[in-house]
Amino acid sequence: MSALEDEEFRGFVAARGLALLRTAYLLTGDEQLAEDLVQTALEKAVTHWSSIRVAAAAESYVRRTMYREQVSIWRRRRVRELVSATIPEPRSAGAAGDEVEDRITMRDALLQLGRRQRTVLVLRYFEDLTEQQVADALGISVGTVKSQAHKALAQLRSTCADLAPTTGGDPR
Amino acid sequence: MTTLEDRVRHALHDMADDVQPAHLLSRLDRHEGRIRRTHTRRRLAAVVAAVVAAVGIGSVLLLPIDQPNIIEPVKNPPKVFRLSDTTSVAPGRALLAVTLARPNPAVADGEHEDPLYVLPLTRGAAVHLPGSDRVPYSWSSELSADGTRLIRSNESYVDPHLEVVELATGRSDDLGDRKAYCPQLSSDNGTVVAYGPSGVQVFDVGTGSSRSLYRVKVTQDFPCGGLGWSPDGRRLVVRTDSGSVVIDRLGTVQLRLPDSYAVNSSMSWAPDGRRLLLYDRLHGEYEVVRPDAGSTLAMRWPTDALRPLGWAGHRVVWLAGAPGDYRLVTTDQRGRDVKTWMRFDIGDKPIEAVSWSQDLSGTAAP
């Protein structure tokens, strides 16, 4: 890597590192795992930097690598993955008045989701990707995206009892 | 009613906002030597690819721009902006609106000078536009794209108010006692967007009804300038904590522009709707971004320019000089080819904001 490329790469990490870290945190639900995920993706990116910097596709490349890495993790851990032993108690509808409280509940509920479900939700609702784009990014079928999103939202509804069933917001 | 999907979206953004920066290069630094050896082999290929790409990108940038529905800049604007002794609540269609200074908060209401002047289409000198009962002075004011209206708001905690003034008659469309930061009229004058307590709100000028469009954390010190309609009224650029986003009229994110903030609201959009004038917080530079193409041009800072204000045709307009010697200058989109557009003959009063009508067909600003 030339000095210029090295400077560009470091500039890219400085500029986009936090944004990548945010997505990684949402994918993993853990700050250390998030750093590992980003660094893994950056290690792969740096070996292809000469080509992806020219195409101005560095961030897209790193993000896609993160998504795929996350998929591979969930596939490797499919059998061993542990769902939380503690089942959160559903909140009563009457306690739904405080927005901050609602956010905390939603945050906890999101972190309780399995990797695959949370990954789909992150790509759909944080990265604002379409179902087709999510499927392409993760290397899975659109049907799987739909089913995972459906299951994830259903679990959120059951976990957060104050969430009324929705009629709109059909995922694109 | 907020859907579950919306709540998931908001929760994810809240969670992401809590993430702190980390040293992401630590692992790579340990393997720097290995990386350097690996990439030496790729250097030659990269240089060739870079040249090919640069030629390709350069040729694209040099292509003439298709201009559907382009809003043209003012025609033959006056060379000098002067103040008249005239005060009028209905000065008629205007070319420019200039806010000279914010009122001194230490001075009691009614004793300060109203700072807003508009330059009528009929030329001559600028006319003093007084405040209304509900908006005695404007904390945010901007001329509409066609120069027929001016939107202004009083953002005070005690008595906030938002209204759209029809400059031909002086009549106001009252949008109510709302705290609305940085209000912006759409190009058809039918819709206003503004930052409310929980984010971007959309107001229907005719009915006064409003709805939430996009959630943003807003504080009292939230800076104006980061909210602007595209010329066709189909998209908005919105300031967030971590940069700007471009959304459609349904609030769906189309593009994220991290670490960059739109300059001067709707005027950030070039009239062709294909370029945005942004401030890159990370590098402290102004830049022109072509959102759909993904390309960015860093701008050279013209001599004695204070800040870029927006676009007039395909030229970027900058406020230059200092109190007593203000000028509007224009440059190309790289900040070069500086030409003086207008001088301000306003004494030593400081200029707070300038906006101008953009649909008066004619030639581009110099």
Side-chain angles (χ1 to χ4, degrees):
Chain A
M1 181 182 279
S2 68
L4 175 61
E5 289 176 342
D6 184 69
E7 185 179 339
E8 285 179 345
F9 178 76
R10 289 175 184 279
F12 166 75
V13 175
R16 305 300 305 141
L18 182 56
L20 294 169
L21 199 57
R22 285 173 168 161
T23 300
Y25 173 72
L26 296 177
L27 293 173
T28 62
D30 179 273
E31 291 186 4
Q32 290 300 319
L33 291 177
E35 287 186 29
D36 281 343
L37 183 60
V38 175
Q39 293 198 38
T40 299
L42 290 175
E43 278 184 324
K44 293 186 177 181
V46 81
T47 61
H48 299 285
W49 187 251
S50 298
S51 55
I52 62 178
R53 64 178 274 273
V54 171
E59 180 160 357
S60 173
Y61 179 93
V62 173
R63 285 185 181 275
R64 187 171 290 264
T65 303
M66 285 166 46
Y67 305 151
R68 294 295 177 100
E69 189 68 18
Q70 186 69 358
V71 170
S72 69
I73 289 173
W74 92 39
R75 283 177 176 155
R76 285 199 300 268
R77 299 183 180 178
R78 176 174 294 177
V79 179
R80 294 184 289 122
E81 184 170 33
L82 295 175
V83 180
S84 171
T86 307
I87 301 174
E89 291 184 9
R91 286 160 50 83
S92 66
D98 189 323
E99 184 180 349
V100 175
E101 285 289 309
D102 291 347
R103 289 291 169 77
I104 292 172
T105 301
M106 177 61 77
R107 175 186 295 236
D108 293 342
L110 284 166
L111 291 175
Q112 293 287 343
L113 293 175
R115 286 173 183 274
R116 140 189 343 224
Q117 292 177 357
R118 191 169 62 243
T119 299
V120 169
L121 290 192
V122 169
L123 267 60
R124 283 288 287 118
Y125 299 117
F126 181 73
E127 303 282 27
D128 287 303
L129 301 184
T130 64
E131 287 174 339
Q132 183 63 58
Q133 288 170 329
V134 174
D136 292 341
L138 298 179
I140 58 179
S141 70
V142 173
T144 302
V145 172
K146 289 181 177 177
S147 66
Q148 290 299 317
H150 179 78
K151 289 176 182 175
L153 293 175
Q155 181 167 334
L156 291 177
R157 281 196 190 93
S158 66
T159 306
C160 308
D162 56 336
L163 292 173
T166 59
T167 55
D170 183 37
R172 291 178 299 276
Chain B
M1 180 177 181
T2 304
T3 65
L4 174 57
E5 288 85 348
D6 285 337
R7 293 180 64 173
V8 169
R9 185 176 284 114
H10 293 156
L12 289 171
H13 280 274
D14 285 347
M15 291 166 66
D17 288 344
D18 291 340
V19 175
Q20 298 299 311
H23 181 45
L24 297 171
L25 292 172
S26 57
R27 197 194 297 176
L28 286 165
D29 285 340
R30 289 198 294 271
H31 302 292
E32 188 175 355
R34 176 173 59 83
I35 293 168
R36 183 173 290 118
R37 287 194 299 277
T38 302
H39 283 273
T40 300
R41 295 193 299 272
R42 302 176 185 270
R43 189 173 302 163
L44 181 60
V47 169
V48 173
V51 170
V52 171
V55 170
I57 293 171
S59 62
V60 169
L61 293 177
L62 290 174
L63 288 175
I65 298 170
D66 186 18
Q67 302 170 357
N69 304 317
I70 188 168
I71 297 175
E72 291 290 347
V74 294
K75 179 180 181 179
N76 301 323
K79 300 295 183 188
V80 180
F81 181 94
R82 290 193 176 88
L83 305 182
S84 72
D85 295 329
T86 305
T87 294
S88 173
V89 296
R93 198 171 179 181
L95 283 167
L96 282 100
V98 178
T99 306
L100 291 185
R102 289 182 184 275
N104 183 349
V107 178
D109 281 355
E111 295 180 8
H112 57 71
E113 178 187 12
D114 192 305
L116 183 61
Y117 287 81
V118 296
L119 183 64
L121 181 62
T122 52
R123 309 292 171 78
V127 174
H128 177 210
L129 187 71
S132 66
D133 292 340
R134 302 304 310 276
V135 188
Y137 52 85
S138 303
W139 292 21
S140 294
S141 59
E142 188 162 303
L143 198 60
S144 66
D146 64 2
T148 62
R149 289 170 175 78
L150 187 122
I151 185 163
R152 60 188 178 190
S153 69
N154 172 3
E155 297 164 6
S156 103
Y157 271 113
V158 178
D159 188 23
H161 203 73
L162 178 64
E163 63 185 16
V164 178
V165 182
E166 189 177 273
L167 294 175
T169 64
R171 183 180 65 84
S172 292
D173 284 316
D174 190 344
L175 295 182
D177 299 336
R178 307 165 190 269
K179 188 166 291 179
Y181 302 103
C182 326
Q184 293 287 303
L185 260 172
S186 59
S187 54
D188 63 0
N189 296 331
T191 311
V192 170
V193 291
Y195 292 109
S198 62
V200 178
Q201 301 281 317
V202 183
F203 303 89
D204 185 295
V205 175
T207 65
S209 62
S210 68
R211 66 183 172 89
S212 179
L213 184 65
Y214 188 78
R215 188 174 179 82
V216 182
K217 291 178 181 174
V218 177
T219 65
Q220 185 182 12
D221 298 326
F222 203 78
C224 282
L227 179 64
W229 289 102
S230 64
D232 62 6
R234 294 178 180 173
R235 297 194 287 180
L236 278 164
V237 61
V238 175
R239 182 189 181 103
T240 71
D241 284 346
S242 56
S244 296
V245 296
V246 176
I247 62 175
D248 62 19
R249 293 186 74 120
L250 298 176
T252 306
V253 174
Q254 297 187 335
L255 181 70
R256 296 187 187 278
L257 300 162
D259 292 313
S260 293
Y261 296 122
V263 172
N264 209 14
S265 56
S266 292
M267 308 190 92
S268 283
W269 292 88
D272 61 11
R274 297 183 179 186
R275 289 165 295 172
L276 270 169
L277 180 58
L278 299 172
Y279 172 65
D280 181 344
R281 179 181 58 177
L282 195 67
H283 299 99
E285 296 173 340
Y286 288 100
E287 59 190 15
V288 172
V289 173
R290 296 170 68 96
D292 297 329
S295 60
T296 299
L297 289 176
M299 304 186 75
R300 175 187 295 181
W301 197 287
T303 303
D304 84 348
L306 298 172
R307 61 181 184 273
L309 298 174
W311 298 80
H314 299 300
R315 304 277 291 178
V316 176
V317 181
W318 303 70
L319 181 64
D325 183 30
Y326 280 121
R327 286 166 287 117
L328 293 182
V329 300
T330 70
T331 69
D332 64 17
Q333 61 181 350
R334 292 180 183 272
R336 301 180 301 202
D337 186 27
V338 182
K339 296 179 180 177
T340 298
W341 182 13
M342 190 182 303
R343 282 195 310 107
F344 286 91
D345 185 9
I346 57 175
D348 59 357
K349 297 181 177 65
I351 290 179
E352 180 71 25
V354 181
S355 59
W356 53 89
S357 165
Q358 298 212 4
D359 85 332
L360 307 174
S361 58
T363 57

